[in-house]
Amino acid sequence: MNALLDAPRRLISLGQWAVTLALCAFLIVPVVMSVMAGLTVNYFRGISSGLTLRWLEQVWTQYRPSVFLSLEVALATLAITLVIGVPAAYALARSKTRMARLVEELLVLPIALPGLASALALIVVYGGFTAFRTSAAFIVVGHVVFTLPFMVRAVAAVAASADLRTLEEGAASLGATFWQRFTTIVLPNLKPGIVAGALAVVTLSIGEFNLTWMLHTPDTKTLPVGLADTYASLRIEIGSAYTIVFFLMTMPLLIAMQWLGVDVTGQRALRGRARSRR
């Protein structure tokens, strides 16, 4: 009887694995093919034409400034969204008024708009300031507008579930100042949301193309803009080699931030277990 019941379960499990592996192959195979194209002498002849690092060297020589500019823009965007987004999320989570909910919805508005529309709005308003318009700071502003909602939402969600008001009232009754409460109670409890928001901000900033394409100038090309240029005007091997450089620059950062997020989550779970035992 048990064998008869286990048979359908095994079939369902095998089917789930088959679908999962098929989806992974659907997503990973194009990436692998693109990487291989950047390492072959001739893409159309395939690996039989031989392997080479010439295309990587050419991309690095020609587009190295774009790589570092993207990292600078992403880090600047992260710093600004942390300074603005964390206090804003904290205030929105504590406030129960309709005005706070309205402000929260307005912060999400840039996500609903196409990146090109947001970029055009920035150009219309600030395009007259030539020095600002032609600097990387203009791209940073656009990225902050686009990524700030992700930081605010991530931190606000954690703040709303942590019952910070009760913890702060307890600390205040013991004589703690606002700054002491914010640094020793609020920020440690918001850390999972801050890490999640930081991950979203960095990845979105590095990979954002539509908004950046409208805001960039010939002197402020970021990784995605340079990648589009290589595929549009050069050999496919060059574009594929640029993709490899993109992966090499972004994957270590993403892995490090993912590890930090898992570590933070694990520490939070351990603290929760310790409290429950008490």
Side-chain angles (χ1 to χ4, degrees):
M1 185 67 178
N2 291 333
L4 292 176
L5 294 175
D6 288 341
R9 294 175 183 173
R10 291 177 181 175
L11 290 175
I12 294 174
S13 178
L14 290 174
Q16 291 173 339
W17 274 108
V19 172
T20 302
L21 292 175
L23 289 175
C24 289
F26 181 79
L27 296 173
I28 295 174
V29 169
V31 176
V32 174
M33 294 298 294
S34 178
V35 170
M36 292 305 300
L39 297 175
T40 55
V41 175
N42 189 304
Y43 168 75
F44 298 100
R45 291 173 54 193
I47 299 179
S48 60
S49 63
L51 299 177
T52 180
L53 296 177
R54 180 178 62 178
W55 311 122
L56 283 172
E57 294 174 0
Q58 186 172 337
V59 167
W60 183 250
T61 301
Q62 186 172 352
Y63 291 97
R64 180 173 53 203
S66 297
V67 174
F68 291 111
L69 178 62
S70 286
L71 292 177
E72 292 171 4
V73 169
L75 292 176
T77 302
L78 175 60
I80 296 173
T81 53
L82 284 173
V83 172
I84 299 176
V86 173
Y90 168 69
L92 290 173
R94 281 182 59 87
S95 178
K96 304 298 181 182
T97 63
R98 293 183 178 178
M99 181 60 68
R101 303 287 76 79
L102 177 61
V103 172
E104 188 174 356
E105 293 303 322
L106 290 176
L107 283 174
V108 183
L109 187 60
I111 302 177
L113 295 175
L116 295 177
S118 299
L120 181 60
L122 290 173
I123 292 173
V124 170
V125 177
Y126 302 110
F129 302 93
T130 305
F132 179 51
R133 171 68 182 89
T134 57
S135 67
F138 196 54
I139 298 177
V140 172
V141 171
H143 284 203
V144 170
V145 171
F146 177 67
T147 60
L148 184 62
F150 294 92
M151 177 65 75
V152 172
R153 278 297 179 91
V155 177
V158 175
S161 62
D163 194 14
L164 294 178
R165 185 183 295 274
T166 302
L167 296 174
E168 289 187 82
E169 289 175 354
S173 66
L174 297 175
T177 63
F178 172 79
W179 182 249
Q180 289 174 329
R181 298 196 302 270
F182 188 77
T183 56
T184 61
I185 295 176
V186 175
L187 287 181
N189 280 278
L190 294 183
K191 194 174 180 182
I194 294 174
V195 172
L199 175 62
V201 168
V202 172
T203 54
L204 289 171
S205 177
I206 291 178
E208 171 57 31
F209 171 75
N210 292 331
L211 186 145
T212 309
W213 183 79
M214 282 284 289
L215 299 180
H216 89 284
T217 65
D219 295 326
T220 57
K221 286 185 178 181
T222 61
L223 274 171
V225 176
L227 180 62
D229 287 347
T230 58
Y231 276 111
S233 58
L234 300 174
R235 294 182 53 164
I236 192 170
E237 292 90 350
I238 300 291
S240 298
Y242 196 104
T243 303
I244 297 174
V245 174
F246 194 101
F247 282 143
L248 292 177
M249 296 302 297
T250 58
M251 289 306 296
L253 179 63
L254 297 181
I255 292 172
M257 297 190 71
Q258 287 282 12
W259 174 84
L260 180 60
V262 172
D263 184 60
V264 168
T265 305
Q267 291 179 3
R268 191 178 182 188
L270 289 175
R271 288 198 297 267
R273 293 175 185 173
R275 291 174 184 172
S276 64
R277 289 175 181 174
R278 295 174 186 173

